[in-house]
Amino acid sequence: IHMNLDLNKLGIILFPSTRSLAFLDILRKNNIILNEVIVMGAWPFLGNDFINESKKYKYNSFFNLNDDIDTIIESITKSVKYVNSTDINSDELYEILNSHQCSQYIFTGGGILKDRVLSQNIDFIHIHPGDINNYRGSTCFYYSYLNEGVISCTSFIMKKEIDKGEIMNICNISQNIRIDSDQKFFTDYIFDPLIRALTLEKLLCQAKLNSSIKTYVLNKYNKHQYHIAHPMIRSLFALKINENYEGNKPRRVLINE
């Protein structure tokens, strides 16, 4: 199967989150101008505890953490719309999507898409933090790293069945990072958005060269659904990450080519 990923008809729906900030950073770095940006909820949104941890550990080196939205989006879009709600299924957002300014939107959160939204003939592009073949559900990279020492991300078109759309690409991530015990925000608010953003970057750069993207649908999925990782799983993940950290090499997170 092939799908057309036309950057001139692409939009993004920005849920107030560090995932959105990581995605915006990728768009800016690659000079990608979107057709429409829809901003959900209230910005800026970062709390003081996060900001303090971020300064201590220089999280800005991973992606730009400026959450003053207006200064960011003026350089990456032709049109901006604001929605008070943070619910992806809200009437307010539905009306904007119904105007068909874009045929495809990058999804950044806000709930599980309901039938009414999915039936609008719009492709919603989701970046899932796991290899969708084997890891469906939530916070999948914790489990794949503990099971196999592998961290992957999948970009796919969202469908009614959760994590079962047309797959566009799967990227494997390599990292050299250390997670200290007081880095309580790092894994979910920096690492998770970053690996998704790198996967999105690869997809968008591919679309820049050729808007026809080869996609495929899996006939057979691993039926197991992973649930939000328990604190014990998270601490085991950090232990394993730290065991593999090479202190004489720079801190990095990147896609394995």
Side-chain angles (χ1 to χ4, degrees):
I1 318 167
H2 280 79
M3 68 163 279
N4 201 41
L5 182 54
D6 183 351
L7 299 185
N8 294 315
K9 293 179 182 164
L10 183 64
I12 190 168
I13 305 168
L14 294 175
F15 184 81
S17 65
T18 52
R19 191 195 313 181
S20 288
L21 296 180
F23 285 9
L24 286 168
D25 202 47
I26 288 303
L27 294 167
R28 259 195 316 226
K29 280 179 181 166
N30 292 282
N31 298 316
I32 291 169
I33 310 288
L34 296 179
N35 197 25
E36 180 173 68
V37 171
I38 302 172
V39 182
M40 299 173 79
W43 297 59
F45 57 85
L46 294 175
N48 287 335
D49 287 355
F50 175 85
I51 290 166
N52 292 337
E53 183 179 310
S54 168
K55 283 179 183 162
K56 180 178 177 181
Y57 288 102
K58 299 186 172 61
Y59 291 162
N60 246 325
S61 66
F62 291 110
F63 55 89
N64 191 325
L65 285 164
N66 171 17
D67 63 342
D68 176 6
I69 189 70
D70 298 322
T71 58
I72 301 167
I73 54 181
E74 59 193 23
S75 64
I76 59 128
T77 187
K78 299 170 189 170
S79 161
V80 187
K81 304 266 179 12
Y82 293 88
V83 172
N84 290 318
S85 175
T86 51
D87 175 8
I88 197 79
N89 299 295
S90 68
D91 291 342
E92 212 181 343
L93 182 56
Y94 179 79
E95 293 303 322
I96 294 172
L97 297 176
N98 211 16
S99 68
H100 295 293
Q101 172 113 0
C102 298
S103 54
Q104 290 159 325
Y105 284 93
I106 299 163
F107 172 83
T108 61
I112 292 170
L113 294 168
K114 290 186 179 160
D115 289 359
R116 180 175 78 150
V117 178
L118 284 169
S119 60
Q120 282 188 300
N121 207 18
I122 292 170
D123 290 332
F124 293 93
I125 298 166
H126 179 47
I127 315 291
H128 167 77
D131 178 337
I132 209 84
N133 294 281
N134 301 310
Y135 292 91
R136 294 170 54 227
S138 185
T139 56
C140 291
F141 65 86
Y142 285 98
Y143 300 98
S144 69
Y145 191 66
L146 287 172
N147 289 344
E148 303 166 50
V150 172
I151 292 174
S152 306
C153 274
T154 306
S155 45
F156 67 91
I157 303 294
M158 297 168 90
K159 293 283 185 267
K160 287 177 189 174
E161 301 86 5
I162 291 176
D163 294 350
K164 280 194 178 180
E166 276 176 54
I167 295 166
M168 293 180 284
N169 72 352
I170 298 178
C171 295
N172 288 328
I173 311 290
S174 75
Q175 78 295 317
N176 187 48
I177 50 173
R178 192 189 145 68
I179 305 173
D180 287 340
S181 58
D182 64 341
Q183 286 184 264
K184 59 181 190 285
F185 292 105
F186 176 75
T187 316
D188 289 335
Y189 293 85
I190 298 295
F191 186 73
D192 175 302
L194 178 60
I195 62 174
R196 295 187 203 226
L198 292 171
T199 305
L200 177 67
E201 180 174 42
K202 184 148 190 188
L203 178 68
L204 296 178
C205 289
Q206 199 181 332
K208 246 184 168 179
L209 295 172
N210 182 0
S211 64
S212 179
I213 303 283
K214 193 173 182 185
T215 65
Y216 60 96
V217 178
L218 288 178
N219 298 320
K220 196 175 172 201
Y221 285 89
N222 177 351
K223 290 196 167 55
H224 187 80
Q225 279 264 26
Y226 288 87
H227 298 287
I228 291 176
H230 184 275
M232 178 94 57
I233 298 279
R234 290 164 186 260
S235 58
L236 289 170
F237 171 83
L239 277 173
K240 188 166 180 179
I241 283 277
N242 292 348
E243 277 168 19
N244 293 324
Y245 175 64
E246 298 178 71
N248 56 340
K249 292 186 177 171
R251 180 172 78 162
R252 59 169 175 70
V253 180
L254 44 87
I255 284 180
N256 284 342
E257 294 301 338

